[in-house]
Amino acid sequence: KEMGMPVIVMAKTFYDPREGKPYAVITVDLAAENVTKPITDIKIGKAGYGYIINKEGMVVAHRDKTKNFQLDLAKLDFGKEIIQKKNGTIEYSFEGRTQFASFQEYPALGWIVALAVDKAEIMESISAMNVLFIILLIVMATFSLVAGVIFTVRLVKPINRIVMGLSDGSDQ
């Protein structure tokens, strides 16, 4: 609280092996931004991003810092599904955009790390690949046709010579 930013407190208890009672606790305070930065700095394509939610559905880290600890995904249908599944992919609408998200639980902290990308951006890539595939298909078909014609002409030419020779021989 004194730092003016969210912190993550990690603690480890050490137990006496003989009695099984705790004899020491070590704690560390980490600036949340340092822990979450590798996820929030992710950029996928033009508008894709990473975010982290806790087990209750509260956004812990997002590239839009105004959503941190303010946006509760547990109140949204897709958020409930992410919390329930913990691992997987989902298609959902959020803030007027249809998005795909892939997410996985990080059990040590009870967080779920998600990567989201706009469906339109993915479909744009698929459309570009379809055009490339069609062009490649046309080029291959044309090449096959030309190769087939050349092969046929080369194959038929000697046969035609033999037929002509036999015709000439039968005329004598």
Side-chain angles (χ1 to χ4, degrees), residues 117-151:
V117 66
D118 286 350
K119 180 179 179 179
E121 192 173 330
I122 291 174
M123 298 311 284
E124 185 180 296
S125 297
I126 291 172
S127 295
M129 288 188 327
N130 282 342
V131 169
L132 184 62
F133 178 73
I134 290 168
I135 291 170
L136 187 60
L137 182 66
I138 291 169
V139 168
M140 287 177 22
T142 304
F143 177 75
S144 297
L145 181 65
V146 169
V149 168
I150 291 171
F151 178 75

mmCIF file of all heavy atoms in Angstrom, residues 117-151:
data_model
loop_
_atom_site.group_PDB
_atom_site.id
_atom_site.type_symbol
_atom_site.label_atom_id
_atom_site.label_comp_id
_atom_site.label_asym_id
_atom_site.label_seq_id
_atom_site.Cartn_x
_atom_site.Cartn_y
_atom_site.Cartn_z
ATOM 1 N N VAL A 117 -7.356 -12.615 -29.097
ATOM 2 C CA VAL A 117 -7.131 -11.998 -30.397
ATOM 3 C C VAL A 117 -8.489 -11.845 -31.084
ATOM 4 O O VAL A 117 -9.389 -12.671 -30.879
ATOM 5 C CB VAL A 117 -6.138 -12.831 -31.247
ATOM 6 C CG1 VAL A 117 -6.710 -14.181 -31.607
ATOM 7 C CG2 VAL A 117 -5.703 -12.090 -32.487
ATOM 8 N N ASP A 118 -8.645 -10.781 -31.857
ATOM 9 C CA ASP A 118 -9.902 -10.545 -32.567
ATOM 10 C C ASP A 118 -10.146 -11.621 -33.610
ATOM 11 O O ASP A 118 -9.239 -11.993 -34.359
ATOM 12 C CB ASP A 118 -9.887 -9.176 -33.258
ATOM 13 C CG ASP A 118 -10.049 -8.029 -32.284
ATOM 14 O OD1 ASP A 118 -10.354 -8.280 -31.109
ATOM 15 O OD2 ASP A 118 -9.880 -6.869 -32.716
ATOM 16 N N LYS A 119 -11.385 -12.082 -33.685
ATOM 17 C CA LYS A 119 -11.765 -13.103 -34.666
ATOM 18 C C LYS A 119 -11.550 -12.562 -36.080
ATOM 19 O O LYS A 119 -11.087 -13.291 -36.958
ATOM 20 C CB LYS A 119 -13.222 -13.508 -34.468
ATOM 21 C CG LYS A 119 -13.698 -14.562 -35.435
ATOM 22 C CD LYS A 119 -15.141 -14.952 -35.181
ATOM 23 C CE LYS A 119 -15.600 -15.993 -36.178
ATOM 24 N NZ LYS A 119 -16.997 -16.395 -35.934
ATOM 25 N N ALA A 120 -11.855 -11.280 -36.291
ATOM 26 C CA ALA A 120 -11.700 -10.683 -37.624
ATOM 27 C C ALA A 120 -10.257 -10.764 -38.099
ATOM 28 O O ALA A 120 -9.992 -11.005 -39.279
ATOM 29 C CB ALA A 120 -12.177 -9.231 -37.605
ATOM 30 N N GLU A 121 -9.322 -10.573 -37.185
ATOM 31 C CA GLU A 121 -7.908 -10.630 -37.544
ATOM 32 C C GLU A 121 -7.500 -12.051 -37.951
ATOM 33 O O GLU A 121 -6.767 -12.250 -38.917
ATOM 34 C CB GLU A 121 -7.061 -10.157 -36.368
ATOM 35 C CG GLU A 121 -5.626 -9.905 -36.717
ATOM 36 C CD GLU A 121 -4.850 -9.280 -35.572
ATOM 37 O OE1 GLU A 121 -5.446 -8.535 -34.763
ATOM 38 O OE2 GLU A 121 -3.639 -9.536 -35.495
ATOM 39 N N ILE A 122 -8.020 -13.035 -37.227
ATOM 40 C CA ILE A 122 -7.724 -14.426 -37.573
ATOM 41 C C ILE A 122 -8.358 -14.770 -38.912
ATOM 42 O O ILE A 122 -7.733 -15.398 -39.770
ATOM 43 C CB ILE A 122 -8.217 -15.381 -36.471
ATOM 44 C CG1 ILE A 122 -7.369 -15.200 -35.226
ATOM 45 C CG2 ILE A 122 -8.173 -16.828 -36.939
ATOM 46 C CD1 ILE A 122 -7.842 -15.978 -34.032
ATOM 47 N N MET A 123 -9.604 -14.350 -39.102
ATOM 48 C CA MET A 123 -10.298 -14.649 -40.359
ATOM 49 C C MET A 123 -9.610 -13.957 -41.538
ATOM 50 O O MET A 123 -9.576 -14.497 -42.648
ATOM 51 C CB MET A 123 -11.773 -14.231 -40.276
ATOM 52 C CG MET A 123 -12.543 -14.984 -39.192
ATOM 53 S SD MET A 123 -12.328 -16.770 -39.228
ATOM 54 C CE MET A 123 -13.333 -17.208 -40.596
ATOM 55 N N GLU A 124 -9.060 -12.778 -41.309
ATOM 56 C CA GLU A 124 -8.313 -12.062 -42.346
ATOM 57 C C GLU A 124 -7.105 -12.897 -42.775
ATOM 58 O O GLU A 124 -6.828 -13.036 -43.965
ATOM 59 C CB GLU A 124 -7.874 -10.714 -41.781
ATOM 60 C CG GLU A 124 -7.183 -9.802 -42.749
ATOM 61 C CD GLU A 124 -6.796 -8.499 -42.057
ATOM 62 O OE1 GLU A 124 -7.707 -7.767 -41.620
ATOM 63 O OE2 GLU A 124 -5.580 -8.225 -41.960
ATOM 64 N N SER A 125 -6.416 -13.464 -41.820
ATOM 65 C CA SER A 125 -5.260 -14.312 -42.126
ATOM 66 C C SER A 125 -5.688 -15.565 -42.884
ATOM 67 O O SER A 125 -5.023 -15.993 -43.822
ATOM 68 C CB SER A 125 -4.535 -14.726 -40.851
ATOM 69 O OG SER A 125 -4.024 -13.604 -40.188
ATOM 70 N N ILE A 126 -6.807 -16.143 -42.465
ATOM 71 C CA ILE A 126 -7.314 -17.344 -43.137
ATOM 72 C C ILE A 126 -7.713 -17.008 -44.570
ATOM 73 O O ILE A 126 -7.433 -17.773 -45.497
ATOM 74 C CB ILE A 126 -8.493 -17.955 -42.348
ATOM 75 C CG1 ILE A 126 -7.975 -18.544 -41.040
ATOM 76 C CG2 ILE A 126 -9.225 -19.009 -43.166
ATOM 77 C CD1 ILE A 126 -9.055 -19.000 -40.094
ATOM 78 N N SER A 127 -8.342 -15.857 -44.772
ATOM 79 C CA SER A 127 -8.734 -15.441 -46.124
ATOM 80 C C SER A 127 -7.504 -15.269 -47.006
ATOM 81 O O SER A 127 -7.506 -15.679 -48.168
ATOM 82 C CB SER A 127 -9.525 -14.131 -46.076
ATOM 83 O OG SER A 127 -10.741 -14.324 -45.413
ATOM 84 N N ALA A 128 -6.467 -14.668 -46.466
ATOM 85 C CA ALA A 128 -5.227 -14.489 -47.240
ATOM 86 C C ALA A 128 -4.631 -15.845 -47.593
ATOM 87 O O ALA A 128 -4.153 -16.040 -48.730
ATOM 88 C CB ALA A 128 -4.227 -13.657 -46.444
ATOM 89 N N MET A 129 -4.670 -16.797 -46.668
ATOM 90 C CA MET A 129 -4.146 -18.131 -46.964
ATOM 91 C C MET A 129 -4.998 -18.833 -48.015
ATOM 92 O O MET A 129 -4.474 -19.549 -48.868
ATOM 93 C CB MET A 129 -4.077 -18.972 -45.680
ATOM 94 C CG MET A 129 -2.968 -18.526 -44.757
ATOM 95 S SD MET A 129 -2.622 -19.546 -43.301
ATOM 96 C CE MET A 129 -4.151 -20.221 -42.818
ATOM 97 N N ASN A 130 -6.326 -18.622 -47.970
ATOM 98 C CA ASN A 130 -7.208 -19.226 -48.980
ATOM 99 C C ASN A 130 -6.891 -18.685 -50.368
ATOM 100 O O ASN A 130 -6.854 -19.450 -51.334
ATOM 101 C CB ASN A 130 -8.674 -18.973 -48.641
ATOM 102 C CG ASN A 130 -9.188 -19.895 -47.558
ATOM 103 O OD1 ASN A 130 -8.579 -20.921 -47.280
ATOM 104 N ND2 ASN A 130 -10.291 -19.534 -46.949
ATOM 105 N N VAL A 131 -6.672 -17.387 -50.491
ATOM 106 C CA VAL A 131 -6.326 -16.792 -51.779
ATOM 107 C C VAL A 131 -5.007 -17.370 -52.272
ATOM 108 O O VAL A 131 -4.879 -17.747 -53.446
ATOM 109 C CB VAL A 131 -6.252 -15.246 -51.674
ATOM 110 C CG1 VAL A 131 -5.633 -14.636 -52.914
ATOM 111 C CG2 VAL A 131 -7.637 -14.666 -51.415
ATOM 112 N N LEU A 132 -4.046 -17.467 -51.390
ATOM 113 C CA LEU A 132 -2.747 -18.041 -51.757
ATOM 114 C C LEU A 132 -2.908 -19.495 -52.200
ATOM 115 O O LEU A 132 -2.304 -19.923 -53.185
ATOM 116 C CB LEU A 132 -1.778 -17.944 -50.576
ATOM 117 C CG LEU A 132 -0.351 -18.405 -50.828
ATOM 118 C CD1 LEU A 132 0.298 -17.539 -51.908
ATOM 119 C CD2 LEU A 132 0.453 -18.339 -49.544
ATOM 120 N N PHE A 133 -3.733 -20.249 -51.508
ATOM 121 C CA PHE A 133 -3.978 -21.643 -51.862
ATOM 122 C C PHE A 133 -4.619 -21.750 -53.244
ATOM 123 O O PHE A 133 -4.232 -22.602 -54.049
ATOM 124 C CB PHE A 133 -4.870 -22.303 -50.806
ATOM 125 C CG PHE A 133 -5.217 -23.726 -51.109
ATOM 126 C CD1 PHE A 133 -4.272 -24.722 -50.977
ATOM 127 C CD2 PHE A 133 -6.488 -24.061 -51.547
ATOM 128 C CE1 PHE A 133 -4.585 -26.040 -51.266
ATOM 129 C CE2 PHE A 133 -6.805 -25.370 -51.839
ATOM 130 C CZ PHE A 133 -5.851 -26.365 -51.697
ATOM 131 N N ILE A 134 -5.595 -20.905 -53.531
ATOM 132 C CA ILE A 134 -6.263 -20.932 -54.845
ATOM 133 C C ILE A 134 -5.283 -20.575 -55.953
ATOM 134 O O ILE A 134 -5.256 -21.225 -57.002
ATOM 135 C CB ILE A 134 -7.496 -19.990 -54.841
ATOM 136 C CG1 ILE A 134 -8.585 -20.595 -53.946
ATOM 137 C CG2 ILE A 134 -8.021 -19.755 -56.253
ATOM 138 C CD1 ILE A 134 -9.730 -19.662 -53.629
ATOM 139 N N ILE A 135 -4.458 -19.567 -55.740
ATOM 140 C CA ILE A 135 -3.453 -19.193 -56.743
ATOM 141 C C ILE A 135 -2.489 -20.346 -56.970
ATOM 142 O O ILE A 135 -2.169 -20.693 -58.114
ATOM 143 C CB ILE A 135 -2.701 -17.913 -56.313
ATOM 144 C CG1 ILE A 135 -3.638 -16.705 -56.379
ATOM 145 C CG2 ILE A 135 -1.463 -17.684 -57.168
ATOM 146 C CD1 ILE A 135 -3.081 -15.450 -55.749
ATOM 147 N N LEU A 136 -2.025 -20.955 -55.901
ATOM 148 C CA LEU A 136 -1.117 -22.100 -56.007
ATOM 149 C C LEU A 136 -1.788 -23.256 -56.744
ATOM 150 O O LEU A 136 -1.161 -23.911 -57.582
ATOM 151 C CB LEU A 136 -0.674 -22.531 -54.608
ATOM 152 C CG LEU A 136 0.402 -23.605 -54.525
ATOM 153 C CD1 LEU A 136 1.672 -23.137 -55.224
ATOM 154 C CD2 LEU A 136 0.682 -23.959 -53.085
ATOM 155 N N LEU A 137 -3.047 -23.497 -56.478
ATOM 156 C CA LEU A 137 -3.806 -24.558 -57.148
ATOM 157 C C LEU A 137 -3.895 -24.286 -58.652
ATOM 158 O O LEU A 137 -3.686 -25.197 -59.467
ATOM 159 C CB LEU A 137 -5.200 -24.671 -56.536
ATOM 160 C CG LEU A 137 -6.099 -25.766 -57.087
ATOM 161 C CD1 LEU A 137 -5.518 -27.132 -56.737
ATOM 162 C CD2 LEU A 137 -7.500 -25.634 -56.526
ATOM 163 N N ILE A 138 -4.178 -23.047 -59.048
ATOM 164 C CA ILE A 138 -4.270 -22.684 -60.464
ATOM 165 C C ILE A 138 -2.916 -22.860 -61.147
ATOM 166 O O ILE A 138 -2.831 -23.404 -62.253
ATOM 167 C CB ILE A 138 -4.814 -21.242 -60.626
ATOM 168 C CG1 ILE A 138 -6.283 -21.196 -60.202
ATOM 169 C CG2 ILE A 138 -4.640 -20.735 -62.052
ATOM 170 C CD1 ILE A 138 -6.851 -19.802 -60.058
ATOM 171 N N VAL A 139 -1.852 -22.396 -60.493
ATOM 172 C CA VAL A 139 -0.507 -22.532 -61.071
ATOM 173 C C VAL A 139 -0.155 -24.010 -61.247
ATOM 174 O O VAL A 139 0.345 -24.414 -62.304
ATOM 175 C CB VAL A 139 0.542 -21.809 -60.191
ATOM 176 C CG1 VAL A 139 1.955 -22.179 -60.598
ATOM 177 C CG2 VAL A 139 0.343 -20.302 -60.269
ATOM 178 N N MET A 140 -0.441 -24.827 -60.241
ATOM 179 C CA MET A 140 -0.124 -26.259 -60.337
ATOM 180 C C MET A 140 -0.965 -26.930 -61.418
ATOM 181 O O MET A 140 -0.465 -27.792 -62.158
ATOM 182 C CB MET A 140 -0.336 -26.941 -58.982
ATOM 183 C CG MET A 140 0.741 -26.584 -57.988
ATOM 184 S SD MET A 140 0.592 -27.230 -56.304
ATOM 185 C CE MET A 140 -0.442 -28.611 -56.391
ATOM 186 N N ALA A 141 -2.238 -26.573 -61.534
ATOM 187 C CA ALA A 141 -3.101 -27.159 -62.566
ATOM 188 C C ALA A 141 -2.617 -26.774 -63.952
ATOM 189 O O ALA A 141 -2.565 -27.618 -64.868
ATOM 190 C CB ALA A 141 -4.543 -26.706 -62.355
ATOM 191 N N THR A 142 -2.224 -25.513 -64.120
ATOM 192 C CA THR A 142 -1.703 -25.058 -65.415
ATOM 193 C C THR A 142 -0.415 -25.788 -65.747
ATOM 194 O O THR A 142 -0.236 -26.267 -66.878
ATOM 195 C CB THR A 142 -1.460 -23.531 -65.394
ATOM 196 O OG1 THR A 142 -2.686 -22.879 -65.038
ATOM 197 C CG2 THR A 142 -0.966 -23.026 -66.726
ATOM 198 N N PHE A 143 0.476 -25.889 -64.799
ATOM 199 C CA PHE A 143 1.739 -26.607 -65.010
ATOM 200 C C PHE A 143 1.474 -28.065 -65.379
ATOM 201 O O PHE A 143 2.091 -28.615 -66.297
ATOM 202 C CB PHE A 143 2.613 -26.515 -63.761
ATOM 203 C CG PHE A 143 3.893 -27.276 -63.870
ATOM 204 C CD1 PHE A 143 4.946 -26.790 -64.633
ATOM 205 C CD2 PHE A 143 4.048 -28.503 -63.227
ATOM 206 C CE1 PHE A 143 6.128 -27.504 -64.752
ATOM 207 C CE2 PHE A 143 5.217 -29.219 -63.340
ATOM 208 C CZ PHE A 143 6.268 -28.718 -64.109
ATOM 209 N N SER A 144 0.548 -28.705 -64.665
ATOM 210 C CA SER A 144 0.217 -30.105 -64.951
ATOM 211 C C SER A 144 -0.372 -30.258 -66.342
ATOM 212 O O SER A 144 -0.052 -31.211 -67.067
ATOM 213 C CB SER A 144 -0.779 -30.635 -63.919
ATOM 214 O OG SER A 144 -0.210 -30.632 -62.643
ATOM 215 N N LEU A 145 -1.231 -29.338 -66.761
ATOM 216 C CA LEU A 145 -1.833 -29.377 -68.092
ATOM 217 C C LEU A 145 -0.768 -29.237 -69.171
ATOM 218 O O LEU A 145 -0.724 -30.025 -70.121
ATOM 219 C CB LEU A 145 -2.892 -28.277 -68.229
ATOM 220 C CG LEU A 145 -3.624 -28.224 -69.565
ATOM 221 C CD1 LEU A 145 -4.449 -29.488 -69.750
ATOM 222 C CD2 LEU A 145 -4.498 -26.991 -69.630
ATOM 223 N N VAL A 146 0.117 -28.257 -69.018
ATOM 224 C CA VAL A 146 1.192 -28.040 -69.997
ATOM 225 C C VAL A 146 2.109 -29.260 -70.042
ATOM 226 O O VAL A 146 2.466 -29.752 -71.123
ATOM 227 C CB VAL A 146 1.978 -26.746 -69.678
ATOM 228 C CG1 VAL A 146 3.246 -26.655 -70.507
ATOM 229 C CG2 VAL A 146 1.103 -25.524 -69.891
ATOM 230 N N ALA A 147 2.484 -29.760 -68.869
ATOM 231 C CA ALA A 147 3.354 -30.940 -68.822
ATOM 232 C C ALA A 147 2.661 -32.138 -69.460
ATOM 233 O O ALA A 147 3.283 -32.926 -70.190
ATOM 234 C CB ALA A 147 3.753 -31.252 -67.383
ATOM 235 N N GLY A 148 1.363 -32.295 -69.238
ATOM 236 C CA GLY A 148 0.606 -33.393 -69.834
ATOM 237 C C GLY A 148 0.550 -33.294 -71.347
ATOM 238 O O GLY A 148 0.704 -34.303 -72.059
ATOM 239 N N VAL A 149 0.338 -32.094 -71.863
ATOM 240 C CA VAL A 149 0.287 -31.893 -73.321
ATOM 241 C C VAL A 149 1.650 -32.198 -73.934
ATOM 242 O O VAL A 149 1.744 -32.908 -74.948
ATOM 243 C CB VAL A 149 -0.176 -30.449 -73.662
ATOM 244 C CG1 VAL A 149 0.048 -30.127 -75.127
ATOM 245 C CG2 VAL A 149 -1.635 -30.268 -73.286
ATOM 246 N N ILE A 150 2.717 -31.688 -73.338
ATOM 247 C CA ILE A 150 4.071 -31.947 -73.864
ATOM 248 C C ILE A 150 4.368 -33.436 -73.829
ATOM 249 O O ILE A 150 4.863 -34.007 -74.801
ATOM 250 C CB ILE A 150 5.124 -31.137 -73.063
ATOM 251 C CG1 ILE A 150 4.963 -29.651 -73.352
ATOM 252 C CG2 ILE A 150 6.535 -31.616 -73.393
ATOM 253 C CD1 ILE A 150 5.800 -28.747 -72.465
ATOM 254 N N PHE A 151 4.040 -34.103 -72.741
ATOM 255 C CA PHE A 151 4.292 -35.538 -72.627
ATOM 256 C C PHE A 151 3.492 -36.312 -73.673
ATOM 257 O O PHE A 151 4.005 -37.222 -74.327
ATOM 258 C CB PHE A 151 3.930 -36.018 -71.213
ATOM 259 C CG PHE A 151 4.109 -37.479 -71.006
ATOM 260 C CD1 PHE A 151 5.379 -38.020 -70.871
ATOM 261 C CD2 PHE A 151 3.008 -38.342 -70.952
ATOM 262 C CE1 PHE A 151 5.567 -39.378 -70.676
ATOM 263 C CE2 PHE A 151 3.186 -39.688 -70.753
ATOM 264 C CZ PHE A 151 4.460 -40.219 -70.625
#
